[in-house]
Amino acid sequence: MKFIVSSSYLLKQLQVLGSVINSNNTLPILDNFLFELDNNELTVSASDLETTMSATLSIDSTSKGSVAVPAKLLLEILKTFPEQPLTFTVEDNNTVEISSNSGKYALAYAAGEEFPKSVNLEDPSVTLVPADVLATAVSKTIFAAGNDDLRPVMSGVFFQFSPEGLTFVATDAHKLVKYARADVKASQVADFIMPKKPLNILKSILGSSDAEVKIEYNDSNATFSFDNYILMCRLIDGKYPNYEAVIPKENPNKLLIDRSLFLSSVRRVAIFSNKTTHQIRLKIAGAELNVSAEDIDYSNKAEERLTCDYQGDDLQIGFNSRFLIEMLTNLQSDVIMLEMSLPNRAGILTPADGLEEGETVTMLVMPVMLNS
């Protein structure tokens, strides 16, 4: 088994796949890349049992076979090469020899058969989504997903597909983000919960792709295929909470404000907030928004006044500044709208401009009780 490949091309592909590999694997074989050679096609795979990703590379070869090569060692050596062709040869003494312009390097390999086989989806449903739409949907929602191991369903992003459009939701019970597209549709109604790790991997590579992503899914697994990649992952088992019930429908108090102005104000004032609650207070009356925070234990306090466009009753409401900052950072628009009903009901943040046709973003943040 022998093949020739460009060093930088191989490194670029392996760095993407390397993000699948865990630092402490239960099975030693998972510390390897699986190389499967079929003449001019080389398929490289990486897996952590939950997520498996493979890339197909065009190379120069006339042989077939499969070997598992130590991932960390291979990535380390590839990073040091200038661009050049490398020749990989599988020797009889259980090593893979890499020949470069300047020398030879031998790595011990394991048999390719030991590598876990990827699952074949039987009779999957299929939806096609443009790469940029999926990348935006993931980056807009993933930050709101929870980290609580006791509530695994909330630690992923909820995908809802229907002939009306696609909806992506993430929540950790304190904040919720719903991203919807009416311009991309699925042929049938389906929903599933995607774990964070494969989504982060997708987010990092979809941005530079203009392909269509083919999403295939059944009750337990989903596969994303685009360009020369296939990412397969196990879905989170369970029923997603009824998020629609949490979004308040009647919000008579509407505040319009410049996003970057509001964001920098919240950032500054938050420095003076209590280090455990991160609480900031919004006091709105007329066209004036008063943003304040106080840490009574240390006698630190801050207050800022901003002008805004406000329709509704005078209101005082408290929020966790970290959630507010995350959401405002994640919105791209120049002007945002904050809709509220009562100081103990969730506030809803939406972009007032800068959305594409058929795109809606709704962010919900739970208030914190104000100690008067």
Side-chain angles (χ1 to χ4, degrees):
M1 185 175 156
K2 181 178 178 180
F3 62 91
I4 299 169
V5 63
S6 141
S7 58
S8 55
Y9 172 53
L10 182 61
L11 175 63
K12 186 172 169 242
Q13 306 292 330
L14 292 188
Q15 279 176 321
V16 171
L17 299 176
S19 52
V20 175
I21 299 172
N22 287 337
S23 48
N24 45 355
N25 282 311
T26 42
L27 294 176
I29 190 74
L30 297 177
D31 294 330
N32 295 276
F33 288 124
L34 175 66
F35 280 56
E36 292 172 293
L37 188 60
D38 186 358
N39 296 323
N40 283 338
E41 249 189 21
L42 173 68
T43 305
V44 187
S45 308
S47 175
D48 68 356
L49 293 182
E50 299 281 320
T51 306
T52 303
M53 189 170 187
S54 57
T56 308
L57 289 69
S58 308
I59 44 123
D60 192 1
S61 173
T62 52
S63 47
K64 296 186 176 192
S66 73
V67 290
V69 189
K72 197 170 168 214
L73 203 58
L74 185 55
L75 281 170
E76 276 178 8
I77 182 74
L78 285 175
K79 282 177 191 160
T80 63
F81 287 128
E83 164 54 41
Q84 60 182 295
L86 298 176
T87 306
F88 283 71
T89 316
V90 176
E91 304 286 2
D92 296 336
N93 60 355
N94 247 32
T95 57
V96 177
E97 188 177 88
I98 307 173
S99 310
S100 72
N101 293 345
S102 48
K104 290 187 169 159
Y105 317 87
L107 299 87
Y109 71 82
E113 294 74 50
E114 290 180 32
F115 205 81
K117 293 275 171 283
S118 60
V119 188
N120 263 339
L121 292 191
E122 285 175 21
D123 194 27
S125 311
V126 180
T127 300
L128 292 171
V129 182
D132 58 335
V133 170
L134 187 58
T136 308
V138 172
S139 58
K140 282 264 183 285
T141 50
I142 198 164
F143 77 93
N147 294 320
D148 188 353
D149 295 338
L150 300 174
R151 289 190 285 192
V153 290
M154 285 193 184
S155 67
V157 175
F158 186 49
F159 282 43
Q160 263 185 318
F161 291 171
S162 80
E164 278 81 66
L166 312 184
T167 307
F168 305 84
V169 182
T171 181
D172 63 358
H174 300 290
K175 54 184 184 291
L176 179 146
V177 179
K178 175 184 168 188
Y179 179 82
R181 294 295 291 228
D183 54 343
V184 185
K185 297 170 172 45
S187 53
Q188 70 267 56
V189 176
D191 55 50
F192 53 88
I193 308 169
M194 275 288 294
K196 260 192 206 167
K197 181 177 173 178
L199 287 178
N200 273 318
I201 297 169
L202 278 174
K203 187 175 91 169
S204 65
I205 47 177
L206 281 173
S208 55
S209 172
D210 49 9
E212 280 232 293
V213 181
K214 181 180 174 191
I215 307 176
E216 298 171 83
Y217 45 92
N218 59 17
D219 291 343
S220 51
N221 293 284
T223 305
F224 295 76
S225 322
F226 59 99
D227 295 343
N228 60 325
Y229 296 112
I230 297 175
L231 175 94
M232 172 153 206
C233 71
R234 192 177 299 164
L235 299 171
I236 295 174
D237 192 26
K239 192 167 167 24
Y240 205 72
N242 177 5
Y243 64 88
E244 286 291 355
V246 194
I247 303 175
K249 300 289 177 274
E250 297 291 312
N251 300 296
N253 303 316
K254 294 178 174 24
L255 165 80
L256 275 170
I257 191 161
D258 180 287
R259 184 185 68 89
S260 50
L261 204 70
F262 186 34
L263 175 58
S264 30
S265 177
V266 171
R267 275 204 173 118
R268 278 192 298 273
V269 171
I271 297 168
F272 295 84
S273 67
N274 180 296
K275 293 297 167 270
T276 45
T277 63
H278 304 281
Q279 177 189 301
I280 61 161
R281 179 192 299 251
L282 304 184
K283 192 172 166 187
I284 319 155
E288 189 174 279
L289 165 64
N290 188 301
V291 184
S292 63
E294 185 170 12
D295 187 353
I296 297 165
D297 302 342
Y298 294 98
S299 306
N300 297 336
K301 61 193 230 184
E303 185 180 329
E304 288 199 11
R305 283 213 288 282
L306 303 169
T307 48
C308 62
D309 182 349
Y310 180 63
Q311 272 132 20
D313 306 330
D314 291 2
L315 184 71
Q316 281 201 54
I317 189 165
F319 290 116
N320 181 320
S321 59
R322 285 192 310 178
F323 299 155
L324 214 48
I325 289 167
E326 265 184 320
M327 293 183 162
L328 290 169
T329 311
N330 219 276
L331 288 166
Q332 254 75 56
S333 63
D334 296 332
V335 178
I336 56 117
M337 180 184 271
L338 176 59
E339 299 177 63
M340 296 155 293
S341 54
L342 296 164
N344 60 354
R345 300 288 302 276
I348 294 179
L349 273 172
T350 47
D353 56 10
L355 287 177
E356 288 178 29
E357 186 123 343
E359 181 182 34
T360 52
V361 185
T362 309
M363 298 191 173
L364 176 140
V365 57
M366 297 305 284
V368 288
M369 293 305 288
L370 287 170
N371 33 17
S372 44

mmCIF file of all heavy atoms in Angstrom, residues 29-30 34 36 45 47 49 52 66 111-120 232 234:
data_model
loop_
_atom_site.group_PDB
_atom_site.id
_atom_site.type_symbol
_atom_site.label_atom_id
_atom_site.label_comp_id
_atom_site.label_asym_id
_atom_site.label_seq_id
_atom_site.Cartn_x
_atom_site.Cartn_y
_atom_site.Cartn_z
ATOM 1 N N ILE A 29 -7.658 2.663 19.942
ATOM 2 C CA ILE A 29 -7.734 2.762 18.475
ATOM 3 C C ILE A 29 -8.298 4.121 18.040
ATOM 4 O O ILE A 29 -8.035 4.609 16.949
ATOM 5 C CB ILE A 29 -8.578 1.595 17.881
ATOM 6 C CG1 ILE A 29 -8.477 1.530 16.345
ATOM 7 C CG2 ILE A 29 -10.048 1.681 18.281
ATOM 8 C CD1 ILE A 29 -7.183 1.015 15.813
ATOM 9 N N LEU A 30 -9.078 4.775 18.936
ATOM 10 C CA LEU A 30 -9.688 6.061 18.583
ATOM 11 C C LEU A 30 -8.684 7.214 18.583
ATOM 12 O O LEU A 30 -9.019 8.334 18.210
ATOM 13 C CB LEU A 30 -10.854 6.381 19.535
ATOM 14 C CG LEU A 30 -12.038 5.398 19.491
ATOM 15 C CD1 LEU A 30 -13.082 5.769 20.519
ATOM 16 C CD2 LEU A 30 -12.672 5.351 18.106
ATOM 17 N N LEU A 34 -8.125 6.709 10.526
ATOM 18 C CA LEU A 34 -8.235 5.536 9.665
ATOM 19 C C LEU A 34 -8.001 5.970 8.221
ATOM 20 O O LEU A 34 -8.695 6.843 7.711
ATOM 21 C CB LEU A 34 -9.624 4.903 9.805
ATOM 22 C CG LEU A 34 -9.925 3.734 8.861
ATOM 23 C CD1 LEU A 34 -9.031 2.536 9.184
ATOM 24 C CD2 LEU A 34 -11.388 3.323 8.926
ATOM 25 N N GLU A 36 -8.178 4.787 4.444
ATOM 26 C CA GLU A 36 -8.688 3.734 3.553
ATOM 27 C C GLU A 36 -8.362 4.132 2.120
ATOM 28 O O GLU A 36 -8.842 5.152 1.626
ATOM 29 C CB GLU A 36 -10.200 3.566 3.732
ATOM 30 C CG GLU A 36 -10.572 3.005 5.094
ATOM 31 C CD GLU A 36 -12.069 3.019 5.334
ATOM 32 O OE1 GLU A 36 -12.635 4.119 5.449
ATOM 33 O OE2 GLU A 36 -12.663 1.936 5.388
ATOM 34 N N SER A 45 -10.720 8.892 8.172
ATOM 35 C CA SER A 45 -11.809 9.030 9.150
ATOM 36 C C SER A 45 -11.255 9.202 10.551
ATOM 37 O O SER A 45 -10.167 8.734 10.878
ATOM 38 C CB SER A 45 -12.705 7.790 9.142
ATOM 39 O OG SER A 45 -13.124 7.496 7.830
ATOM 40 N N SER A 47 -12.953 9.292 14.782
ATOM 41 C CA SER A 47 -14.188 8.990 15.512
ATOM 42 C C SER A 47 -13.976 9.068 17.018
ATOM 43 O O SER A 47 -12.872 8.872 17.515
ATOM 44 C CB SER A 47 -14.668 7.585 15.137
ATOM 45 O OG SER A 47 -15.782 7.220 15.912
ATOM 46 N N LEU A 49 -16.675 7.518 18.706
ATOM 47 C CA LEU A 49 -17.824 6.617 18.847
ATOM 48 C C LEU A 49 -19.164 7.350 18.712
ATOM 49 O O LEU A 49 -20.093 6.847 18.119
ATOM 50 C CB LEU A 49 -17.803 5.811 20.162
ATOM 51 C CG LEU A 49 -16.670 4.780 20.284
ATOM 52 C CD1 LEU A 49 -16.793 4.018 21.599
ATOM 53 C CD2 LEU A 49 -16.653 3.782 19.132
ATOM 54 N N THR A 52 -18.483 10.580 14.067
ATOM 55 C CA THR A 52 -17.471 10.074 13.136
ATOM 56 C C THR A 52 -17.441 11.005 11.943
ATOM 57 O O THR A 52 -18.487 11.397 11.443
ATOM 58 C CB THR A 52 -17.828 8.644 12.662
ATOM 59 O OG1 THR A 52 -17.949 7.805 13.804
ATOM 60 C CG2 THR A 52 -16.750 8.077 11.755
ATOM 61 N N SER A 66 -6.204 -0.612 4.094
ATOM 62 C CA SER A 66 -6.561 0.328 5.165
ATOM 63 C C SER A 66 -5.638 0.150 6.367
ATOM 64 O O SER A 66 -5.284 -0.975 6.727
ATOM 65 C CB SER A 66 -8.014 0.120 5.583
ATOM 66 O OG SER A 66 -8.159 -1.065 6.322
ATOM 67 N N ALA A 111 -4.009 -2.177 12.641
ATOM 68 C CA ALA A 111 -4.783 -2.701 11.508
ATOM 69 C C ALA A 111 -6.067 -1.898 11.343
ATOM 70 O O ALA A 111 -6.737 -1.576 12.326
ATOM 71 C CB ALA A 111 -5.109 -4.167 11.752
ATOM 72 N N GLY A 112 -6.392 -1.568 10.095
ATOM 73 C CA GLY A 112 -7.596 -0.787 9.810
ATOM 74 C C GLY A 112 -8.878 -1.459 10.265
ATOM 75 O O GLY A 112 -9.863 -0.798 10.590
ATOM 76 N N GLU A 113 -8.866 -2.788 10.329
ATOM 77 C CA GLU A 113 -10.082 -3.533 10.707
ATOM 78 C C GLU A 113 -10.487 -3.275 12.164
ATOM 79 O O GLU A 113 -11.631 -3.487 12.546
ATOM 80 C CB GLU A 113 -9.888 -5.050 10.531
ATOM 81 C CG GLU A 113 -9.704 -5.520 9.102
ATOM 82 C CD GLU A 113 -8.327 -5.178 8.539
ATOM 83 O OE1 GLU A 113 -7.310 -5.477 9.198
ATOM 84 O OE2 GLU A 113 -8.275 -4.569 7.438
ATOM 85 N N GLU A 114 -9.503 -2.839 12.992
ATOM 86 C CA GLU A 114 -9.815 -2.600 14.409
ATOM 87 C C GLU A 114 -10.650 -1.340 14.614
ATOM 88 O O GLU A 114 -11.274 -1.154 15.653
ATOM 89 C CB GLU A 114 -8.511 -2.444 15.216
ATOM 90 C CG GLU A 114 -7.707 -3.713 15.365
ATOM 91 C CD GLU A 114 -6.437 -3.454 16.179
ATOM 92 O OE1 GLU A 114 -6.478 -2.587 17.077
ATOM 93 O OE2 GLU A 114 -5.415 -4.107 15.897
ATOM 94 N N PHE A 115 -10.638 -0.460 13.613
ATOM 95 C CA PHE A 115 -11.334 0.831 13.760
ATOM 96 C C PHE A 115 -12.849 0.607 13.749
ATOM 97 O O PHE A 115 -13.345 -0.200 12.964
ATOM 98 C CB PHE A 115 -10.937 1.751 12.595
ATOM 99 C CG PHE A 115 -11.077 3.210 12.921
ATOM 100 C CD1 PHE A 115 -10.090 3.875 13.640
ATOM 101 C CD2 PHE A 115 -12.200 3.926 12.520
ATOM 102 C CE1 PHE A 115 -10.209 5.231 13.943
ATOM 103 C CE2 PHE A 115 -12.332 5.275 12.816
ATOM 104 C CZ PHE A 115 -11.329 5.921 13.534
ATOM 105 N N PRO A 116 -13.595 1.285 14.648
ATOM 106 C CA PRO A 116 -15.049 1.055 14.694
ATOM 107 C C PRO A 116 -15.713 1.405 13.359
ATOM 108 O O PRO A 116 -15.396 2.426 12.760
ATOM 109 C CB PRO A 116 -15.542 2.023 15.785
ATOM 110 C CG PRO A 116 -14.341 2.545 16.465
ATOM 111 C CD PRO A 116 -13.153 2.298 15.608
ATOM 112 N N LYS A 117 -16.615 0.531 12.928
ATOM 113 C CA LYS A 117 -17.329 0.768 11.663
ATOM 114 C C LYS A 117 -18.383 1.849 11.874
ATOM 115 O O LYS A 117 -19.028 1.899 12.915
ATOM 116 C CB LYS A 117 -18.032 -0.519 11.205
ATOM 117 C CG LYS A 117 -17.066 -1.631 10.818
ATOM 118 C CD LYS A 117 -16.624 -1.483 9.372
ATOM 119 C CE LYS A 117 -15.501 -2.423 9.003
ATOM 120 N NZ LYS A 117 -14.188 -2.007 9.505
ATOM 121 N N SER A 118 -18.551 2.712 10.865
ATOM 122 C CA SER A 118 -19.603 3.728 11.010
ATOM 123 C C SER A 118 -20.965 3.099 10.716
ATOM 124 O O SER A 118 -21.071 2.142 9.949
ATOM 125 C CB SER A 118 -19.342 4.915 10.092
ATOM 126 O OG SER A 118 -19.309 4.474 8.759
ATOM 127 N N VAL A 119 -21.987 3.671 11.349
ATOM 128 C CA VAL A 119 -23.347 3.123 11.236
ATOM 129 C C VAL A 119 -23.909 3.452 9.856
ATOM 130 O O VAL A 119 -23.704 4.539 9.336
ATOM 131 C CB VAL A 119 -24.252 3.791 12.308
ATOM 132 C CG1 VAL A 119 -25.621 3.126 12.372
ATOM 133 C CG2 VAL A 119 -23.580 3.758 13.664
ATOM 134 N N ASN A 120 -24.652 2.507 9.293
ATOM 135 C CA ASN A 120 -25.361 2.803 8.052
ATOM 136 C C ASN A 120 -26.786 3.207 8.389
ATOM 137 O O ASN A 120 -27.483 2.486 9.100
ATOM 138 C CB ASN A 120 -25.386 1.566 7.144
ATOM 139 C CG ASN A 120 -24.277 1.636 6.110
ATOM 140 O OD1 ASN A 120 -23.758 2.711 5.820
ATOM 141 N ND2 ASN A 120 -23.911 0.484 5.566
ATOM 142 N N MET A 232 -20.984 12.173 10.744
ATOM 143 C CA MET A 232 -22.090 11.366 11.246
ATOM 144 C C MET A 232 -22.102 11.448 12.750
ATOM 145 O O MET A 232 -21.044 11.395 13.384
ATOM 146 C CB MET A 232 -21.852 9.932 10.811
ATOM 147 C CG MET A 232 -22.812 8.995 11.410
ATOM 148 S SD MET A 232 -22.949 7.646 10.290
ATOM 149 C CE MET A 232 -24.539 7.097 10.707
ATOM 150 N N ARG A 234 -24.397 10.597 16.629
ATOM 151 C CA ARG A 234 -25.544 10.048 17.349
ATOM 152 C C ARG A 234 -26.355 11.216 17.891
ATOM 153 O O ARG A 234 -25.797 12.176 18.416
ATOM 154 C CB ARG A 234 -25.047 9.170 18.498
ATOM 155 C CG ARG A 234 -26.153 8.333 19.104
ATOM 156 C CD ARG A 234 -25.624 7.415 20.180
ATOM 157 N NE ARG A 234 -24.640 6.473 19.657
ATOM 158 C CZ ARG A 234 -23.815 5.783 20.434
ATOM 159 N NH1 ARG A 234 -23.829 5.955 21.741
ATOM 160 N NH2 ARG A 234 -22.962 4.941 19.913
#
